[in-house]
Amino acid sequence: MRMIFVRHGHPNYRQDCLTELGHLHAKAAAERLCEEKIEMIYSSTCGRAFETAEHIAELQENREIVPCDYMREISWGSDTEELFQKGHPWFTVDQMVRDGQSLQDVDWAEKFPFLPNHLCTESVKRVCDGFDGLMASLGYVREGEFYRVTEPKYKTVAVVSHGGASSAMLARLFNLPFPFLCTAICPNYTAVTIVNMKENIGELVAPQFELVNDARHIKGLNAEACFGK
């Protein structure tokens, strides 16, 4: 099975929808993926992600979009003033790098600077738990650090979400700490990451990257180039 992860296009966060530029991003991503023969599309229920998924579905013979609440973007925040930007996970990771702190600690959620940041750690867990359920429904049941293949359901599926949510899902797939994914894969709008899962029924398997963070399809699609802003 191939899983195609796609971040949403340029958003209007206040109204939770795509901007005009975001629709151009989403159309470009849909065209980029039009030959992928996607059989099912799973999407965050946030408007900016679902609208992106709709563009993809339109060029995939109007494939069904399955709304997934657990894929909504992660929350962040803390009332601990000492935390960088009050717990913003990406700014926190940037500060950890500047301070020389390891991003490879598997117990990251139990230690400073993330321990007081309950909103971030709880929502990352929400994404990961939901994603395990999705994998099981697709025929890959989590066992320890790997997946037991039961009965693969599709050859190719798309997962449309957000920078933080997709980082959490990929961290779960590859058993990597979430802070590491925040800096190693910081997806551009509609960036595409493709993961392969072997289909050896009954065996434990590990995921393999086929493509990581590819946003070449939106090259030149920025506000200045498109709208003279």
Side-chain angles (χ1 to χ4, degrees), residues 168-181:
M169 286 184 274
L170 290 168
R172 181 63 172 165
L173 264 178
F174 287 91
N175 300 300
L176 293 168
F178 172 71
F180 173 75
L181 265 294

Side-chain angles (χ1 to χ4, degrees), residues 41-158:
I41 302 172
Y42 299 89
S43 175
S44 158
T45 51
C46 290
R48 55 195 185 272
F50 206 84
E51 289 180 9
T52 301
E54 287 177 327
H55 282 285
I56 296 171
E58 184 178 357
L59 295 188
Q60 295 288 336
E61 300 179 352
N62 288 311
R63 291 293 186 192
E64 179 183 357
I65 303 174
V66 178
C68 303
D69 281 337
Y70 65 85
M71 287 185 192
R72 295 177 70 86
E73 184 57 304
I74 63 171
S75 301
W76 62 272
S78 173
D79 57 7
T80 304
E81 292 295 335
E82 293 78 24
L83 287 183
F84 318 114
Q85 297 293 324
K86 294 188 177 180
H88 189 291
W90 292 274
F91 293 157
T92 298
V93 170
D94 287 344
Q95 186 64 48
M96 290 172 70
V97 172
R98 288 191 289 269
D99 290 345
Q101 289 183 256
S102 173
L103 303 182
Q104 301 286 357
D105 191 343
V106 295
D107 296 322
W108 63 272
E110 304 301 322
K111 298 178 180 178
F112 184 85
F114 281 98
L115 179 59
N117 186 10
H118 299 299
L119 288 180
C120 174
T121 56
E122 287 178 1
S123 55
V124 168
K125 184 179 186 304
R126 174 252 301 167
V127 173
C128 291
D129 288 347
F131 184 68
D132 278 350
L134 172 62
M135 291 297 292
S137 73
L138 295 174
Y140 293 85
V141 178
R142 182 87 179 190
E143 284 190 27
E145 295 184 354
F146 305 107
Y147 293 86
R148 180 78 65 182
V149 185
T150 55
E151 186 176 354
K153 193 172 182 181
Y154 302 110
K155 290 292 183 182
T156 305
V157 300

Side-chain angles (χ1 to χ4, degrees), residues 10-11 18-27 220-229:
H10 184 266
L18 292 178
T19 62
E20 185 176 352
L21 176 60
H23 283 288
L24 293 179
H25 287 163
K27 289 177 182 178
L221 286 178
N222 54 55
E224 291 76 14
C226 296
F227 309 117
K229 296 180 182 178

Side-chain angles (χ1 to χ4, degrees), residues 21-42:
L21 176 60
H23 283 288
L24 293 179
H25 287 163
K27 289 177 182 178
E31 291 171 0
R32 152 76 175 81
L33 298 172
C34 67
E35 296 182 3
E36 290 289 352
K37 297 182 180 178
I38 295 170
E39 297 166 82
M40 186 66 76
I41 302 172
Y42 299 89

Side-chain angles (χ1 to χ4, degrees), residues 1 140 149 152 196-201 203-208:
M1 179 181 72
Y140 293 85
V149 185
N196 282 308
M197 300 292 297
K198 294 180 180 178
E199 299 184 352
N200 304 355
I201 294 178
E203 294 185 6
L204 283 174
V205 299
Q208 297 175 328

